[in-house]
Amino acid sequence: MAIDSVQIESVCEHFPIAATHRDAKRWIESCVMLGLAPNTVTAYARAVEGFLSFCQNRSVEVRSTSREVIAQYVGDLRTQPRRERSNVVSIDSRALLSNATLQQRLTAVRLFFEFLLEDGLIPINPVSRGRYTLSKRFGGHAERSPIQKFHKLPWIPSEAQWASLLAVVAKESPRNRCMLALAYDAALRREELCQLRSEDLDPAHRLLRIRAETTKNRRERILPYSAISGELLRNYLRHRQRVASTRGPLFLSESPRNYATPITLWTWSKVIRSIALRAEVPAFSTHTLRHLCLTDLARMGWDLHEIARLAGHQSLDTTKQYVHLSAHDLAQRFRETMDQIHAWRLQALAELPAGSEQV
């Protein structure tokens, strides 16, 4: 299989340390040859770049990395700020790397060493999946990861935040409004949305074909969209004819520098970030509409398997992380239930036989 030279060159340009490290570059090339998603390759390269930089700063030979070095690396990760807030250095700040990012970085480093182990270049993998320790759980032992996992519920906007977002979106271009509608309607990931093509549309039946090469699990799916999204799509297609008359990538850039070229993931992320800041809802991201759609489907009584099929999840456990009731929903349900119980208890007290006495 031929190596995607364009993707390799792009990775090498952004991650020079990994590009000049023989073992790291071979591993990245193997990830590309195995057909991993471009975003996954980029994430792996970023993680290995950080680890190689850590080793350089401490004069550590990569192939001689010990578990003690890995422990030091994990400690260093815990003090690193997020890229968008690189000026934050206090460990008390909430702008440090998230738990999910820590897990991702360490997983990539483990896979890198697994590659070296399979090639016979190292005797053991210093980044183990975890070790078994005594536990009160069934069986007496439980696996303990080097980084403790925290499972947080996906964030979705409140009604007030949603209203603020809608007020900003109303002033957006036909392209952006169409993309936002489809992202919510079909619970699309950023990659799936930005890589839609003209031939993926079936307007007669209001269906979208999400091609396998654009999905996270490499499985194609056919998704419906609503009449409202269909109207926004028709408006955008009329607008698109003024940008480019040819078929191909559906959503095109309209900036002078990249006019009529396919919209990139980074451009769409910037659009969403701009909307979030103007609406004063900074937590809003390209994935929020997917979270919101799946949660709304659960609220409307969709079966878990149906939601998983629409979302393209292979595991129902993944779907359960997306499908949840907000704290407001739980509070409302709690009040309704307690009111019923409260009323029942009062009614029961009122119906006590006349003349009954407390002991």
Side-chain angles (χ1 to χ4, degrees):
M1 182 183 296
I3 298 177
D4 187 338
S5 57
V6 175
Q7 186 178 355
I8 292 294
E9 289 176 4
S10 175
V11 171
C12 291
E13 180 182 353
H14 289 88
F15 307 108
I17 300 178
T20 56
H21 191 279
R22 184 179 59 181
D23 293 338
K25 186 176 182 180
R26 285 196 309 113
W27 178 63
I28 293 170
E29 289 175 350
S30 72
C31 290
V32 175
M33 289 189 289
L34 289 171
L36 298 185
N39 278 1
T40 301
V41 174
T42 300
Y44 284 179
R46 178 179 294 110
V48 171
E49 178 86 358
F51 177 71
L52 294 176
S53 176
F54 172 85
C55 290
Q56 280 188 1
N57 293 336
R58 287 159 178 76
S59 301
V60 174
E61 169 57 40
V62 173
R63 293 186 185 181
S64 302
T65 301
S66 64
R67 292 186 177 180
E68 181 182 359
V69 171
I70 295 298
Q72 294 171 357
Y73 171 63
V74 171
D76 182 72
L77 282 178
R78 293 185 185 279
T79 66
Q80 292 184 14
R82 297 177 184 175
R83 284 183 297 163
E84 62 269 24
R85 296 185 181 182
S86 57
N87 60 324
V88 180
V89 295
S90 171
I91 197 170
D92 296 327
S93 170
R94 293 177 178 268
L96 300 178
L97 296 180
S98 68
N99 180 261
T101 301
L102 295 177
Q103 294 284 346
Q104 182 193 67
R105 298 283 177 89
L106 194 61
T107 296
V109 173
R110 176 177 60 78
L111 293 175
F112 170 56
F113 279 113
E114 194 69 29
F115 173 78
L116 299 182
L117 180 63
E118 291 177 356
D119 274 6
L121 300 176
I122 57 175
I124 61 169
N125 188 337
V127 190
S128 61
R129 290 179 179 270
R131 64 180 184 275
Y132 284 91
T133 57
L134 291 177
S135 170
K136 295 181 180 179
R137 297 174 61 183
F138 179 77
H141 291 78
E143 189 175 9
R144 183 178 179 182
S145 173
I147 297 179
Q148 187 177 1
K149 293 183 179 180
F150 301 104
H151 298 283
K152 296 183 179 180
L153 293 175
W155 176 86
I156 58 173
S158 65
E159 293 302 318
Q161 291 171 326
W162 182 244
S164 297
L165 289 166
L166 290 179
V168 173
V169 170
K171 302 175 183 178
E172 288 294 304
S173 67
R175 183 200 67 188
N176 292 349
R177 294 182 66 188
C178 178
M179 293 182 72
L180 287 162
L182 290 179
Y184 170 76
D185 230 0
L188 298 180
R189 300 180 178 95
R190 180 182 61 165
E191 294 79 1
E192 297 168 347
L193 176 67
C194 292
Q195 296 184 52
L196 282 174
R197 297 179 61 85
S198 303
E199 55 266 30
D200 296 332
L201 302 177
D202 182 0
H205 300 92
R206 293 207 302 268
L207 294 174
L208 293 174
R209 180 173 72 98
I210 310 302
R211 287 169 285 115
E213 60 267 26
T214 69
T215 66
K216 189 175 182 179
N217 58 13
R218 294 299 187 260
R219 292 191 176 189
E220 184 175 298
R221 47 191 213 281
I222 306 295
L223 302 175
Y225 59 89
S226 67
I228 295 175
S229 292
E231 182 60 31
L232 289 171
L233 179 59
R234 282 191 292 272
N235 291 339
Y236 168 66
L237 290 177
R238 287 193 291 268
H239 174 79
R240 185 184 181 279
Q241 290 179 347
R242 298 195 291 269
V243 180
S245 58
T246 58
R247 293 174 62 84
L250 181 59
F251 298 114
L252 305 177
S253 172
E254 299 178 27
S255 69
R257 186 175 61 177
N258 302 309
Y259 194 76
T261 60
I263 188 172
T264 66
L265 304 180
W266 320 119
T267 297
W268 181 236
S269 293
K270 289 179 182 178
V271 169
I272 293 299
R273 187 59 180 165
S274 174
I275 292 173
L277 294 178
R278 283 179 284 146
E280 298 183 353
V281 186
F284 183 67
S285 71
T286 56
H287 221 57
T288 298
L289 293 174
R290 178 174 167 86
H291 292 167
L292 185 58
C293 173
L294 300 182
T295 303
D296 285 347
L297 293 178
R299 287 168 169 168
M300 292 184 287
W302 274 46
D303 181 81
L304 193 62
H305 292 81
E306 295 173 330
I307 298 174
R309 182 178 177 184
L310 183 140
H313 291 156
Q314 291 182 275
S315 169
L316 290 182
D317 289 338
T318 304
T319 309
K320 291 175 183 177
Q321 293 180 13
Y322 284 86
V323 179
H324 67 284
L325 295 177
S326 68
H328 174 77
D329 297 324
L330 292 175
Q332 181 64 26
R333 186 69 176 271
F334 178 79
R335 285 192 296 268
E336 292 174 353
T337 304
M338 289 305 294
D339 286 345
Q340 293 173 5
I341 294 174
H342 187 66
W344 170 78
R345 293 194 187 280
L346 288 177
Q347 183 66 26
L349 288 172
E351 292 176 356
L352 286 172
S356 61
E357 297 180 354
Q358 296 282 347
V359 175

